[in-house]
Amino acid sequence: MSLLSVRDLVVKFAMRDQTVTALNGISFDLNRGERMGIVGESGAGKSITGFAILNLISRPGFIDSGHVMFDGMDLAHTSDKALRTIRGNRIAMIFQDPMVTLNPVLTIGQQMVETLQAHRSLTRRDAEKIAVAKLREVYIPAPEERLQQYPHELSGGMRQRIIIAIALLLDPQLIIADEPTTALDVTIQADIMELLLELCQSNNVSLILITHDLGVVSQMTERTLVMYAGRIIESGRTRAIINDPQHPYTQGLIKALPQQTLPGERLKQIPGNMPALSAIPPGCPFNPRCEYTVDRCRTTIPELVRVGPVEVACHEVQRMNRDTETEEQTA
Amino acid sequence: MFAYLVKRVFQAAVVMFVISLISFSIQDNLGDPLRELVGQSVSEEVREQLRDELGLNDSFLVQYGRFAKKAMRGDLGTSYFFKEPALEVILKKLPATLELVLGATFIIIGLSVPLGVFTAIRPHSIFSRVIMGFSIIGISVPVFLTAILMIFVFSVEMRILPSYGRGDVVHVFGYWSTNFLTWDGWKHILLPSAALASIMLPLFIRLIRSEMMETLQSEYVRFAWAKGLRPRRIWFVHALKNTLLPVITVGGVQIGTMVAYTILTETVFQWPGMGFMFLEAVNRVDTPLIVAYLIVVGFIFVVTNTIVDLIYGLVNPTVKLARMGA
Ligand SMILES: Nc1ncnc2c1ncn2[C@@H]1O[C@H](COP(=O)(O)OP(=O)(O)O)[C@@H](O)[C@H]1O
Ligand SMILES: [Mg+2]
């Protein structure tokens, strides 16, 4: 039984002159304690996926269709009251930029206590005790004093640790972390990731880690989704995807990793840019940037199909795969 | 904190200096004080002698210096009409005006916060559209028209509220008698305060609404939703607190400005405050009283602004007063 099951999720934005589709039929499952990465370039729809799971898409965006099944409940179609019992309690979220995630006019203590009190009937004193314990878990020095402080008195790294502590307050079953280190100093990025990994493992918490960095995904997760223009174009075990990427886009992402580049050599970027939502080409959305494009890619959208250990949405990969299969059979 | 205070007081002093200079040059150019003092029947030689004695032939700067020195001691000249120190005349009228401004401030705060918040949270509801429609009309209707309309509706047609004067007041101390301790006093102050509030109210509703809408888009509000907090807590604790910070600054300035608008309101409602007095002083060319009024109003303006800045520093945790001084 999976913990989270997303089915055919479609999210749209009603812009002034047209309605654009930001997520186009996203489906995946996540098991208890499993850690999954979502990768893709900026604008692929990674954050929207994270927010849509918690039904936190705000105007002009909306969930058009699909299901987010969590513990027998469809989070995409349930009451605000039912959603409140899930948000922050059983599914917690860590945002990208810790400098703007905490409320500047409330103390750390207030922001932690209110979270606990929203889900459990606790006195302030008891809530503060739990808060201090969680701050200790994320290695915040002098946690009692932090409760009295305002966010601006703390560094970015410290704030992100506090946000992680807030996410852990109610012992959730799933944490969605949206690029949790992108806004931080490079020197502390690894520390924060390590902390997150340690906490998920020791508490048996599932993790959805959103990032544009395949290197991070390979260290942190067991499974990976690769997104492009609002679709999943490849998914499977992280090791399989890193070692033997099938989709030309995934291959491009891996070639662009600094580890794949010799010193002094230029990073191999994928040419071109991801299309804007209003200008997604017909057929495979990646076709204008792909070196294997054939006519079919410009007319027909490829489905996700199992190819070896992974699922991939690419006509050419599927064709080549079929060819090898026939060869093997004739041989 | 201390450095900041010193800096603010210095700024206030500079502003007061400019106001006094402007006021004084008005005095210098408005009417002939001699005519007010001695009338027509005095010969030219006597007049010239009086001019010398009064120092009216000295240079502008010397005259201003004398004026400023006296003003520092609280001597703003003698009213031609009342034959009393001008400052005293004004101080007697000041409480009535301040109570009017206070009443209007209460009305503005009491209405603009809930209406601004509601129109931000439910921008598409019919009620919000009606409020926003009225606020556009409210901004463009002049205050004396609102006042006359109110008198017509509530005093003439419905006969439930008095249309002029302060009614029964209770003496508190010094020159201060208050409207707020008798039922009749409340009835009398309601219409004038409402009329005065009507100028600023639409502005405040719009200001609070736009600040609130912006705050509701912020990441920390989104994070508050992600934490599973109740909407009421998100709106009134997370969003409203951040909304009101910039509103305090603008609000303070506007409340200072409102003192000037009391001239119109007090005239329509014959409210015995210093605005009404000022208009009479202008009619009588009572120059010392006019100048004293300008200086007192300027002083109130400077003091409210300074207090507002200090309050802002106190309620906003990201502003360290020590740092503001640097
Ligand atoms: N409030 C919004 N209004 C319109 N379009 C939006 C909004 N938020 C996100 N989008 C669009 O949705 C797409 C996916 O965004 P996002 O999920 O944030 O990308 P990323 O993969 O970088 O996290 C982007 O093309 C973005 O332009
Ligand atoms: Mg993002």
Side-chain angles (χ1 to χ4, degrees):
Chain A
M1 230 321 262
S2 54
L3 176 70
L4 177 75
S5 182
V6 175
R7 284 289 164 273
D8 304 314
L9 194 60
V10 176
V11 171
K12 295 187 174 177
F13 283 93
M15 309 307 282
R16 199 162 295 161
D17 38 359
Q18 60 175 338
T19 297
V20 296
T21 307
L23 289 191
N24 205 333
I26 300 291
S27 300
F28 63 87
D29 289 278
L30 187 72
N31 290 323
R32 223 165 258 271
E34 190 181 22
R35 294 183 304 281
M36 187 183 84
I38 302 183
V39 289
E41 286 167 302
S42 179
K46 307 182 297 290
S47 300
I48 300 290
T49 306
F51 287 121
I53 291 170
L54 278 177
N55 203 332
L56 273 175
I57 304 288
S58 51
R59 277 173 202 269
F62 59 95
I63 296 181
D64 184 66
S65 61
H67 308 279
V68 178
M69 302 306 296
F70 180 84
D71 195 25
M73 227 188 286
D74 186 353
L75 303 187
H77 304 95
T78 188
S79 67
D80 288 343
K81 205 172 162 216
L83 282 170
R84 276 211 303 279
T85 66
I86 301 292
R87 294 174 181 158
N89 186 24
R90 304 188 53 200
I91 304 179
M93 195 154 175
I94 297 167
F95 286 20
Q96 183 167 347
D97 186 355
M99 304 309 273
V100 296
T101 304
L102 294 168
N103 193 318
V105 303
L106 300 176
T107 62
I108 303 301
Q110 286 170 319
Q111 301 190 50
M112 296 187 84
V113 168
E114 67 176 3
T115 314
L116 282 159
Q117 288 181 334
H119 301 287
R120 280 193 216 157
S121 43
L122 287 169
T123 62
R124 192 171 65 95
R125 210 156 279 272
D126 289 340
E128 280 178 351
K129 272 193 201 125
I130 299 176
V132 166
K134 294 293 174 186
L135 288 177
R136 210 163 267 140
E137 270 187 56
V138 298
Y139 306 109
I140 296 276
E144 287 89 356
E145 287 156 42
R146 304 296 163 206
L147 295 187
Q148 318 305 324
Q149 289 185 306
Y150 287 95
H152 70 92
E153 300 173 60
L154 304 163
S155 71
M158 193 82 100
R159 287 190 220 185
Q160 196 64 307
R161 278 171 197 274
I162 287 168
I163 291 163
I164 293 173
I166 292 177
L168 289 170
L169 276 175
L170 289 132
D171 302 311
Q173 288 149 298
L174 169 61
I175 291 179
I176 301 170
D178 186 359
E179 311 212 21
T181 60
T182 309
L184 295 177
D185 203 272
V186 207
T187 53
I188 54 173
Q189 289 187 352
D191 293 348
I192 296 282
M193 282 297 176
E194 213 167 286
L195 174 71
L196 200 55
L197 183 61
E198 174 197 321
L199 291 167
C200 286
Q201 281 174 332
S202 59
N203 298 309
N204 195 32
V205 182
S206 303
L207 176 72
I208 294 180
L209 179 68
I210 294 169
T211 172
H212 54 256
D213 186 347
L214 268 170
V216 165
V217 160
S218 72
Q219 287 157 22
M220 298 279 296
T221 67
E222 297 145 345
R223 217 147 51 80
T224 298
L225 304 180
V226 184
M227 287 188 68
Y228 191 85
R231 293 172 186 276
I232 297 173
I233 52 113
E234 184 160 359
S235 83
R237 300 208 68 78
T238 303
R239 198 173 307 148
I241 287 184
I242 300 282
N243 292 339
D244 187 17
Q246 297 297 311
H247 198 287
Y249 177 65
T250 318
Q251 292 169 359
L253 285 181
I254 287 174
K255 278 200 202 110
L257 282 177
Q259 296 93 301
Q260 301 288 315
T261 316
L262 296 170
E265 201 182 354
R266 283 195 53 172
L267 291 181
K268 302 183 195 77
Q269 296 292 341
I270 307 171
N273 290 309
M274 183 144 63
L277 294 183
S278 52
I280 295 175
C284 172
F286 187 58
N287 84 68
R289 300 170 70 186
C290 182
E291 49 183 316
Y292 306 106
T293 301
V294 293
D295 283 347
R296 199 144 84 95
C297 302
R298 298 194 188 90
T299 52
T300 317
I301 299 173
E303 300 278 317
L304 262 184
V305 168
R306 178 154 290 281
V307 172
V310 300
E311 289 184 28
V312 63
C314 175
H315 295 308
E316 277 303 281
V317 171
Q318 287 159 21
R319 183 182 61 77
M320 287 189 295
N321 207 56
R322 266 196 308 275
D323 291 352
T324 32
E325 267 172 33
T326 2
E327 272 167 39
E328 276 163 16
Q329 275 165 16
T330 43
Chain B
M1 178 74 195
F2 183 71
Y4 175 69
L5 265 179
V6 169
K7 190 179 162 196
R8 286 300 323 191
V9 169
F10 177 74
Q11 283 172 348
V14 171
V15 175
M16 277 317 295
F17 169 72
V18 173
I19 291 173
S20 70
L21 207 61
I22 293 170
S23 311
F24 181 72
S25 33
I26 290 173
Q27 176 177 41
D28 211 35
N29 293 309
L30 200 75
D32 179 0
L34 272 226
R35 200 185 63 209
E36 308 294 334
L37 280 174
V38 297
Q40 306 283 342
S41 59
V42 178
S43 73
E44 194 53 44
E45 288 115 73
V46 181
R47 274 167 193 267
E48 200 48 42
Q49 194 187 340
L50 264 172
R51 270 177 201 284
D52 263 346
E53 277 172 23
L54 287 170
L56 293 175
N57 291 332
D58 295 341
S59 75
F60 178 85
L61 272 183
V62 173
Q63 288 195 53
Y64 173 75
R66 205 157 41 220
F67 166 82
K69 207 189 264 171
K70 278 192 190 163
M72 299 266 214
R73 277 185 267 120
D75 180 1
L76 294 174
T78 304
S79 159
Y80 299 147
F81 180 80
F82 293 99
K83 313 279 187 234
E84 270 182 64
L87 187 62
E88 208 155 305
V89 175
I90 289 175
L91 288 182
K92 280 181 193 166
K93 305 282 186 184
L94 184 65
T97 298
L98 288 186
E99 289 207 338
L100 187 59
V101 172
L102 195 69
T105 306
F106 281 143
I107 293 175
I108 289 173
I109 294 174
L111 288 179
S112 67
V113 173
L115 292 179
V117 168
F118 183 86
T119 51
I121 295 172
R122 299 259 177 275
H124 301 285
S125 79
I126 293 177
F127 184 66
S128 294
R129 284 166 206 263
V130 171
I131 296 293
M132 295 320 285
F134 266 109
S135 80
I136 291 178
I137 301 172
I139 283 177
S140 41
V141 175
V143 63
F144 67 89
L145 207 64
T146 322
I148 289 168
L149 212 69
M150 281 177 169
I151 291 178
F152 180 75
V153 174
F154 296 104
S155 307
V156 179
E157 286 294 314
M158 297 168 72
R159 293 165 185 277
I160 48 172
L161 289 171
S163 65
Y164 63 88
R166 285 186 82 184
D168 293 341
V169 290
V170 176
H171 181 256
V172 186
F173 67 80
Y175 295 133
W176 182 26
S177 300
T178 182
N179 270 69
F180 295 117
L181 290 175
T182 64
W183 178 236
D184 190 58
W186 278 93
K187 271 165 64 177
H188 275 82
I189 203 170
L190 189 60
L191 277 191
S193 315
L196 185 58
S198 72
I199 331 157
M200 301 289 175
L201 187 58
L203 187 96
F204 273 82
I205 293 175
R206 293 184 154 263
L207 181 69
I208 292 176
R209 176 184 127 101
S210 67
E211 290 290 342
M212 182 84 176
M213 287 179 107
E214 203 177 309
T215 311
L216 287 175
Q217 297 293 320
S218 68
E219 283 292 294
Y220 55 80
V221 166
R222 208 207 262 254
F223 188 60
W225 288 110
K227 293 198 299 187
L229 304 185
R230 289 173 173 282
R232 232 175 305 152
R233 177 149 184 108
I234 295 174
W235 293 328
F236 297 111
V237 178
H238 281 259
L240 188 59
K241 233 177 154 177
N242 286 282
T243 298
L244 291 184
L245 278 177
V247 174
I248 289 174
T249 332
V250 180
V253 176
Q254 295 302 333
I255 284 169
T257 319
M258 216 150 61
V259 173
Y261 278 102
T262 55
I263 299 174
L264 282 168
T265 320
E266 288 182 4
T267 308
V268 176
F269 291 96
Q270 306 204 5
W271 189 260
M274 61 178 189
F276 190 28
M277 176 220 76
F278 175 72
L279 218 63
E280 286 180 323
V282 171
N283 280 334
R284 295 172 184 138
V285 203
D286 194 340
T287 323
L289 204 50
I290 294 172
V291 170
Y293 174 85
L294 294 177
I295 288 180
V296 168
V297 169
F299 184 72
I300 293 173
F301 198 80
V302 169
V303 167
T304 39
N305 279 349
T306 309
I307 292 175
V308 162
D309 277 0
L310 287 174
I311 292 177
Y312 183 82
L314 287 179
V315 291
N316 187 354
T318 59
V319 180
K320 277 270 177 289
L321 285 178
R323 215 180 302 149
M324 282 167 74

